[in-house]
Structures are given as C-alpha cells and as structure tokens.
C-alpha cells in the first residue's frame, strides 16, 4: 500500500519537528486544531496531555460541510452531473476514499499501541483507557467507511513498518472487518463517559458512550439490510445488534428530539442543550473563536440541489403521499409546493420569503446555480453573509443525531420481524412525525390507505435525513440503486414567470430536466461495490479488484 509506506517515511522525516510542534499546541482544548502530522515516537506518550493531543487528531477525520454525498443519489444534483450517480465513473489512479480511512486507522492503531506507555509514566489507567476507547471508535469509523465502499478490504490492526508483510496483505472478508468494528464499538461504549458526564464545557463534542452505541446501530442496520437484500451472510445477527444498540441509546435517558426541526441546523441547535445531537463536527462560534468555517455561498449556489424525486417524497399534512391525499392540489407557483406539506419540507428547501442572501428574501430559484429549481435550506443562515462573517458560518454539523437512532430502531425491528407493532412505532418514528405535524403511522393507517409499511418507514428516513448524506448508501443497501439511479433527474415544474428569464431544458410535461435518463446507468453486477484505486493494485499484487471493474 503506497500511501502507508509514504506515511511511515513521512512520519520518520518529520519526527523531531512534530514533537516540538505538538508540544506548542498541547494547551489547546479544541479537538479540530491538531495538525495532520501525528507524533508516532514512543517517547511522546508520557502524559494525559500527550494522549489528548494525539486523540484530537482523530476528530479531524469527521465529515465537514458542505454535504454533497446526496449528489451520488436521486436526491441531489449539483451544477454538473455526478459520475457515480450517472454510472460513468472509472477506477481512479488514487483516491482519498481509500487512503484517508487507512490514515485514520493508522493514527488510531498508534494510540491503542502507544498509550500503555502513559501508564508506566504515571497516568491513571482509567484515563488511558478512555483515550484508547476514543481511538477504537475512530478505527471502527475508518473501517466502516471502507467496507461500505469496497466490501472486503485489508484488515490492519497494528501500526506497520515499511517492510511489514501486511502492506501487501490480501483482502479480509467483510464479516471479519465488521466483527472488529462491533468489538471496537462495544469496548468503547463500555468505557466512554455519557454525554451528561462529559458536560457542556470543554469536553463537549468528544466521543461518548451513546455515540459508540449509535454508530454501532448504524453499522449493524447497514450490514443487516445489505445482507438481506443482496442475499448473503447472516442478516438476522446484524439486525438484532442494530435493534439492541439503538434501544440502548433510547433507554439511556441521554437524548431526545430537539423541539424545532429547522433550528436543528441553525445556531440554536449548537451545544449540549440540543440533546438530539449525539456527535457533531464542531466549527467554533465566531471569526475570532473558530475551529473551522463553512461557506454559505457554496451551499446555496449549487453544491447540492434537491430534486423533484426528493420533494415529492414529502407527505401531505394528513400523512398521505401526494398521489393519495385529497389535500394535494397541483401548485400554480413555486411557493404553493409547500402548502399543507410535512413541515420538514419547508425547513429543508427554500421557499418564497425565506431569508436567503444577506438577509434579503428568497424570490425564485437562480437556475444557473440551483439547477433543479430547488434550493437547499439546511445550515443556511443569511446573517452569516454579512460582516464580520462575510459568508463564513460556524453552525455545527450533526454527524450522528438521535433521530437517526429512532429510524434505525424502527427499520431494523421491521426487517428483523417482518412487521412492527404500533407500540414500537410510537417510541420511534411517530416522535419524528409529531415534530413534523403529521399524524401517527400505525398498522391500521397503512392498511386503510393501501400503503406499504416498509416504504413508509423508508420514506420517513429519506425526508428526516434529507441532504445529510444517507440516501446513496440507503439505496445501495436496499438494492434499489439499479432501479432508482438510471432514471432522469427532474427538478421543479417550470412555472410561467417563476424563474426570471432562465430557459432550462424541460420535459414534455414542463418539468426541469437536470439530466436525461439516457446519460445515466447503473451496472448491478459492478456498481454495488466501488473500484480499488489502480495504483494500490499495482503496489499490492494480493489486492484483487472488485468484480467487473
């Protein structure tokens, strides 16, 4: 593995400089302010400050804004077509999707191995165990990222020297990799403090017990449903783990839903007072106290535009789909799309009158950027465009939130048993529907309206987590990508006079055509796994390319 060899060489060359640099940074309490070059020398591991500094680096691998992963699915479209969504991609020479997780895994392995030195230096064992637990969480994070994309991958549980045999190791079965993920997360959850114990001060944002459990539930739902719908492995075992892990979070008393869905993605949703957030990527609070920042202009100017497929998925206020509800009236202007709809639609997609650019109201889509005629609204705070922020926002990014845990519990329960009771719906999905001002989802409601319980559970997941990076992986694990992705990408109905002087390509029935179906494909014998980078195959003769790539 070329990148691992280069990491080892680089770390040797920078060893002494890194030690001096990190010693100068130990006083920082911000988890995202560590440099990329982590000290690997055993002489460094002598104090809790050393352990914390090394662990802080792991947090830099959490996702960042803007979120564009939904462009790989049928929910999002940028200013140009996405090659994965379109099916036009080819094996890359190199790819950070492969190298970055292993960089994280190496850093986590280093902490797990070297932290024992701190005990000999007098650091309390319980303190050392906590940082090892954080490292195990992140090792699991790295491996899940790899398994999602590539399936079987080389399994490396120790830091390697440049002549290590593991550098040319063959792939390990995904079940073996997932087993390590479960083990790491279970061990981490047994040791890590609760969010309450971490508090709202300088420890807020660190990995907690419920973060480890919630992530374990995410992994298990993915593996269980993927095994079920792709017909391999033991889906029952994974789904059982998903139900148990999600239920443990639900019964912990540490989390509940934030009262306002829109505010979840605004400054009001920052901090421990928002108990829905289980793990966030922190951005700081202002230009003078920032960890990172993200640019609002990128978000509203085409980074990821909602599609018609996503917008049409939102229910009417009576809880019925638009093709079944008597409340649905075909809109005659853009703003009418939001009338009598699930409240999450207006919180996620811009409508006329919303604060848009430098506190000026949104009027109509700018099709040169918002290519589908729909503009993403989450995380957009127009005041941030004004001085002193000048387009830089410090709204935190929820990486794991309690709503996902509730959705995981409901879906895993249904897929495990083939049904779900009204009691289980009450403690999971119906909490989300209540916040969205929708009636309860019950077995009787489904039967009375000829709905599918599975499809309604999936719908709830789609709209609750819309544009947060879940949709592509959902259609992969459900094995519906081959049906969903080859379809044309449609946008808003082209209302006369509703888009200024823009003249986009339209369908015969007057919907914006962002991308034709003829330019989209999905190879079901190939595209459910990603291709390994060509350079990695050349450097490791035992690393075999995924089928049909």
């Amino acid at each position: 593995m070329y990148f691992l060899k280069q990491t080892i060489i680089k770390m040797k060359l920078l060893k002494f400089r890194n030690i001096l640099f990190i010693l100068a940074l130990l006083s920082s309490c911000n988890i995202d302010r560590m440099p990329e070059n982590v000290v690997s020398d055993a002489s460094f591991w002598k104090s809790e400050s050393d352990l914390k500094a090394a662990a802080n680096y792991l947090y830099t691998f959490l996702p960042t804004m803007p979120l564009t992963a939904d462009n790989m699915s049928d929910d999002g479209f940028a200013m140009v077509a996405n090659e994965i969504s379109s099916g036009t991609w080819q094996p890359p020479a190199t790819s950070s999707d492969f190298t970055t997780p292993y960089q994280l895994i190496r850093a986590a392995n280093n902490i797990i191995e070297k932290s024992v030195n701190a005990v000999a230096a007098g650091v309390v064992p319980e303190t050392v165990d906590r940082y090892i637990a954080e490292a195990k969480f992140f090792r699991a994070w790295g491996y899940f990222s790899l398994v999602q994309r590539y399936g079987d991958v080389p399994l490396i549980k120790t830091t390697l020297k440049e002549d290590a045999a593991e550098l040319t190791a063959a792939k390990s079965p995904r079940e073996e990799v997932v087993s390590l993920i479960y083990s790491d997360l279970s061990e981490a959850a047994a040791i890590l403090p609760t969010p309450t114990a971490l508090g709202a001060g300088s420890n807020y944002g660190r990995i907690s017990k419920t973060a480890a459990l919630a992530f374990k539930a995410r992994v298990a739902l993915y593996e269980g449903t993927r095994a079920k719908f792709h017909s391999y492995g033991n889906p029952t075992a994974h789904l059982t783990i998903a139900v148990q892990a999600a239920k443990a979070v639900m019964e912990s008393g540490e989390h509940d839903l934030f009262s306002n869905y829109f505010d979840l993605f605004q400054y009001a949703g920052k901090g421990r007072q928002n108990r829905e957030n289980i793990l966030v990527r922190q951005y700081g609070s202002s230009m003078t106290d920032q960890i990172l920042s993200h640019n609002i202009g990128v978000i509203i100017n085409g980074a990821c535009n909602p599609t018609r497929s996503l917008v049409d998925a939102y229910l009417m206020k009576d809880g019925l789909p638009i093709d079944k509800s008597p409340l649905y009236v075909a809109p005659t202007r853009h703003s009418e799309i939001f009338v009598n709809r699930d409240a999450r639609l207006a919180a996620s997609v811009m409508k006329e009158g919303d604060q848009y650019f430098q506190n000026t109201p949104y009027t109509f889509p700018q099709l040169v950027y918002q290519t589908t005629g729909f503009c993403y609204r989450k995380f957009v705070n127009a005041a941030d465009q004004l001085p002193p922020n000048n387009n830089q926002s410090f709204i935190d990014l929820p990486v794991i939130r309690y709503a996902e845990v509730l959705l995981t519990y409901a879906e895993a329960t249904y897929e495990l048993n083939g049904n779900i009771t009204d009691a289980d719906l009450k403690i999971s999905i119906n909490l989300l529907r209540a916040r969205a001002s929708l009636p309860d989802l019950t077995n009787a409601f489904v039967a009375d309206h000829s709905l599918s319980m599975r499809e309604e559970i999936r719908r709830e997941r789609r709209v609750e987590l819309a544009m947060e990076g879940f949709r592509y992986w959902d259609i992969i694990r459900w094995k519906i990508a081959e049906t969903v992705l080859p379809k044309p990408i449609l946008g808003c109905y082209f209302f006369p006079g509703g888009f200024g002087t823009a003249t986009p390509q339209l369908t015969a029935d007057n919907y914006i055509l962002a991308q034709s179906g003829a330019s989209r494909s999905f190879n079901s014998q190939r595209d459910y796994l990603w291709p390994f980078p060509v350079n990695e195959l050349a450097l490791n003769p035992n690393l075999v390319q995924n089928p049909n790539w």
Side-chain angles (χ1 to χ4, degrees), residues 315-336:
L315 297 169
M316 302 301 292
K317 282 192 173 181
D318 57 5
L320 293 174
I322 60 174
D323 60 348
K324 287 181 174 286
S325 173
L327 295 178
Y328 181 74
V329 176
T332 59
R333 56 183 294 174
H334 194 278
S335 60
E336 292 177 1

Side-chain angles (χ1 to χ4, degrees), residues 34-180:
M34 283 296 297
E36 289 190 4
N37 303 312
V38 178
V39 170
S40 60
D41 186 79
S43 65
F44 173 74
W45 311 89
K46 299 298 184 183
S47 67
E48 181 178 357
S49 294
D50 293 351
L51 298 178
K52 189 173 185 178
N56 284 350
Y57 172 61
L58 305 177
Y59 288 81
T60 67
F61 288 85
L62 290 174
T64 57
M65 291 289 294
L67 295 174
T68 59
D70 278 333
N71 291 334
M72 299 188 297
S73 76
D74 57 335
D75 277 4
F77 191 85
M79 296 174 65
V80 295
N82 180 277
E83 65 176 5
I84 295 176
S85 176
S86 302
T88 58
W89 52 327
Q90 296 296 323
T94 61
S95 174
S96 60
D97 291 310
F98 185 74
T99 59
T100 299
Y102 276 114
Q103 184 182 359
L104 171 59
I105 290 162
R106 177 179 172 81
N109 284 339
N110 203 35
I111 293 172
I112 293 167
E113 291 177 14
K114 302 289 177 56
S115 291
V116 294
N117 295 335
V119 177
V123 180
V124 176
E126 288 78 8
T127 299
V128 175
D129 288 344
R130 175 182 162 186
Y131 290 106
I132 291 175
E134 286 193 12
K136 287 186 175 181
F137 174 92
F138 281 103
R139 183 166 68 177
W141 187 276
Y143 271 121
F144 182 56
S145 177
L146 290 166
V147 166
Q148 273 189 308
R149 289 163 173 78
Y150 304 103
D152 301 346
V153 293
L155 182 60
I156 300 169
K157 294 184 281 188
T158 60
T159 52
L160 304 179
K161 297 180 180 179
E162 60 266 36
D163 59 350
E166 291 90 340
L167 290 171
T168 56
K171 295 184 287 188
S172 296
R174 73 183 295 145
E175 284 291 337
E176 185 178 342
V177 181
V178 171
S179 179
L180 177 66

Side-chain angles (χ1 to χ4, degrees), residues 5 21 94 105 153 232 252 280 441 499 505:
K5 292 180 180 178
F21 191 46
T94 61
I105 290 162
V153 293
Y232 66 85
S252 70
V280 300
L441 178 67
F499 299 90
Q505 186 175 358

